[in-house]
Amino acid sequence: MTTLAPVPPTTPVTGPPTRFRDLLASEWIKMRSLRSTPWTIALTIVFVIGSSAVATLADSAARSGPADFLPYDAYPPAGYWTLMLVAGSIGALTVVSEYSSGLIRTTTVAVPARGSVVLAKAAVTATLWTAVGAVIATGSFLVSQAVLSGRHAGVPLTHPGVFRALVASALLAPVCALIGLGLGVLLRHSAATMLACVFTLLMLPPMFTENDRWSAAVNHAMVSTAWKRLVQNWDPDPGSLGHAATVPGSWIVYALWPLLAVVLAVLVVRHRDV
């Protein structure tokens, strides 16, 4: 007869607590492992900078007259509306893709501190799109000035309003990406999040004109309106000062939208199961 040996009691294996930098590394690996991310970013860079070159070449007004900074040559709205849409969509996909695949359940089991997960996603997203935005804004300026220099209309970076327009255009990408991330956490559905991004970033601002004070106030609170004001290097029409966006107010809009999106996302995930 065989005697069974007593089984020693087992103790649960516990690892060291997850550090925030581990979450950052994890989110960066997720972002980098997606094949579509580098291709999307590369095509966006080429398209936006190319739109700046096309806008500058097509601007016949820059062929004569005194040298002046032409923001819509360096930063044409068509190219930067595309940048807003792409950045917002990629920011949303960093969250929505995990909900769609079910990976979010594994993530929340491994890291119960869901707020920290959202903050790590936001930090990686903001860093990536700040770098992309800086490359695009700098490239747009250099390309447009290369064309304008041939017409003796180029300006240096120290020209009034140039540096502000460059910084505002560079920050447009991370601002929109974080808004997309916040919408992704709130909606958790790909189609609904994409539609919300397009509506919030591009379709909603034109619905409010600057003819009435209340409508102008809503319009000035939009990211696209803030960007347009920051890249303008001329003063608004004195007759419309009461309804014109201001530069400090536009910077505040730039800060509040992503801040509210991330704070709201953190608060929401803390009160959900996943």
Side-chain angles (χ1 to χ4, degrees):
M1 182 175 179
T2 304
T3 304
L4 296 177
V7 178
T10 59
T11 57
V13 178
T14 58
T18 305
R19 297 166 298 184
F20 189 70
R21 66 180 181 181
D22 297 329
L23 295 177
L24 292 175
S26 173
E27 294 302 327
W28 172 246
I29 292 173
K30 290 179 188 175
M31 181 82 71
R32 192 181 58 182
S33 61
L34 292 175
R35 287 187 178 181
S36 59
T37 302
W39 281 106
T40 303
I41 291 175
L43 290 175
T44 304
I45 291 174
V46 171
F47 177 79
V48 179
I49 295 178
S51 68
S52 301
V54 171
T56 308
L57 290 170
D59 189 358
S60 58
R63 293 177 178 174
S64 61
D68 198 2
F69 176 57
L70 301 175
Y72 289 121
D73 286 339
Y75 310 112
Y80 280 80
W81 290 172
T82 303
L83 175 62
M84 292 175 67
L85 183 59
V86 173
S89 300
I90 297 295
L93 285 176
T94 58
V95 177
V96 175
S97 61
E98 289 201 32
Y99 280 106
S100 301
S101 64
L103 182 61
I104 191 68
R105 295 183 181 277
T106 305
T107 303
T108 53
V109 169
V111 186
R114 299 164 189 169
S116 298
V117 174
V118 173
L119 290 177
K121 289 180 181 297
V124 171
T125 300
T127 303
L128 173 65
W129 282 100
T130 299
V132 173
V135 170
I136 290 177
T138 305
S140 297
F141 175 74
L142 294 177
V143 165
S144 66
Q145 296 310 304
V147 176
L148 293 175
S149 295
R151 304 171 183 173
H152 307 289
V155 294
L157 191 60
T158 54
H159 189 81
V162 173
F163 186 72
R164 186 184 70 203
L166 191 149
V167 173
S169 299
L171 293 178
L172 184 64
V175 167
C176 295
L178 291 178
I179 293 173
L181 185 146
L183 290 173
V185 172
L186 295 178
L187 300 177
R188 297 183 291 179
H189 190 274
S190 300
T193 304
M194 296 304 148
L195 183 60
C197 276
V198 173
F199 182 76
T200 303
L201 295 175
L202 300 179
M203 297 176 63
L204 189 59
M207 295 182 181
F208 299 94
T209 66
E210 295 186 343
N211 295 330
D212 299 318
R213 184 176 296 278
W214 71 269
S215 181
V218 177
N219 181 270
H220 298 163
M222 300 297 165
V223 173
S224 60
T225 305
W227 171 76
K228 286 194 291 186
R229 178 64 188 95
L230 291 172
V231 300
Q232 289 178 355
N233 63 334
W234 61 84
D235 294 328
D237 183 3
S240 61
L241 279 178
H243 307 314
T246 63
V247 171
S250 298
W251 284 122
I252 292 174
V253 170
Y254 254 48
L256 285 183
W257 268 96
L259 179 63
L260 290 176
V262 173
V263 169
L264 192 59
V266 171
L267 293 177
V268 167
V269 296
R270 285 181 175 176
H271 294 84
R272 278 181 179 164
D273 294 336
V274 291

